Amino acid sequence: EEYDVIIVGLSWVGLSTAYYCAKKGMKVLGLEMNSHPGSLGTSSYGQTRLWRVTHGMKVKNEMMEDAIKLWKEIEKECDQELRVKLPCITMGSLKDDNFRHTVEQFPDEYLYDAQEIMEMYPALKNLPDDYKGLINSDGSGVVMAERSLKAFHGLWEKEDGVELKFNTKVVKVGKNEVE
């Protein structure tokens, strides 16, 4: 059979990809080797997953900002809160390339010094003097993993053109072919 899109792996990313492709009118096949999304051993297993936009690579931060917009859209469509926003502190020395790149990507955020960080977070003791901290409250928190998988599962069921097969192991992926 022919499909516009074949997705291998049906956790959050796979299910949401199936949903958005179907919304665009594509014929979609989703394949999952486990019996259901979020099975033990998958990246979506469990109750929660950490979410943050403060990475050392600009492209990752941009991807996460785009993903947050999609999460908000899905939350609205399924009328559920799937993410819980929490502040996230990213710390390091400006001598470290990854930390410096993170700071450069958030030029409007206040940069705390080591003493301020230790006063705000007493459990953090003896930070090096050159450490700085960036607190991002908008793009950080946790994703409610099981709730999200159920919501995604419910959304794709409403879309025509999506066929999902569970307990189906992919053994070969070739150009225009999946076995």
Side-chain angles (χ1 to χ4, degrees):
E1 225 176 307
E2 291 195 18
Y3 297 88
D4 297 312
V5 176
I6 298 176
I7 299 164
V8 178
L10 296 174
S11 290
W12 299 334
V13 175
L15 287 173
S16 59
T17 301
Y19 172 66
Y20 280 103
C21 288
K23 278 183 74 165
K24 299 278 186 190
M26 297 177 189
K27 187 175 177 185
V28 179
L29 172 64
L31 304 172
E32 172 60 49
M33 70 178 186
N34 295 299
S35 61
H36 62 280
S39 296
L40 180 63
T42 67
S43 63
S44 297
Y45 177 75
Q47 294 292 319
T48 60
R49 289 292 174 274
L50 180 64
W51 183 269
R52 66 186 173 100
V53 296
T54 50
H55 297 274
M57 294 175 59
K58 185 177 181 181
V59 68
K60 281 187 175 182
N61 292 335
E62 290 169 349
M63 287 170 49
M64 289 300 179
E65 287 174 6
D66 289 344
I68 287 173
K69 291 175 190 169
L70 296 175
W71 276 102
K72 288 177 182 177
E73 184 180 313
I74 288 172
E75 285 175 321
K76 187 175 180 178
E77 288 185 41
C78 68
D79 196 30
Q80 290 186 60
E81 181 182 56
L82 303 176
R83 298 171 310 113
V84 177
K85 290 185 347 183
L86 299 168
C88 176
I89 186 166
T90 304
M91 299 182 297
S93 169
L94 291 172
K95 296 174 192 170
D96 176 72
D97 288 342
N98 283 332
F99 183 69
R100 192 176 63 257
H101 291 154
T102 299
V103 170
E104 289 168 358
Q105 292 169 52
F106 297 94
D108 297 332
E109 296 286 344
Y110 178 76
L111 202 58
Y112 295 87
D113 64 30
Q115 189 60 41
E116 290 173 309
I117 295 168
M118 291 184 289
E119 288 171 9
M120 287 188 304
Y121 300 98
L124 299 176
K125 299 177 182 178
N126 303 318
L127 292 178
D129 291 338
D130 69 336
Y131 260 41
K132 305 288 182 190
L134 173 78
I135 299 176
N136 183 290
S137 58
D138 188 38
S140 305
V142 293
V143 172
M144 307 308 292
E146 286 186 18
R147 187 184 308 168
S148 298
L149 285 170
K150 287 177 185 172
F152 291 151
H153 202 268
L155 287 174
W156 70 257
E157 287 179 327
K158 297 177 187 176
E159 295 298 326
D160 290 330
V162 177
E163 180 182 353
L164 302 185
K165 293 184 179 184
F166 294 91
N167 294 314
T168 305
K169 189 171 182 174
V170 172
V171 293
K172 181 181 176 185
V173 176
K175 187 174 182 177
N176 298 319
E177 174 183 54
V178 176
E179 184 180 316

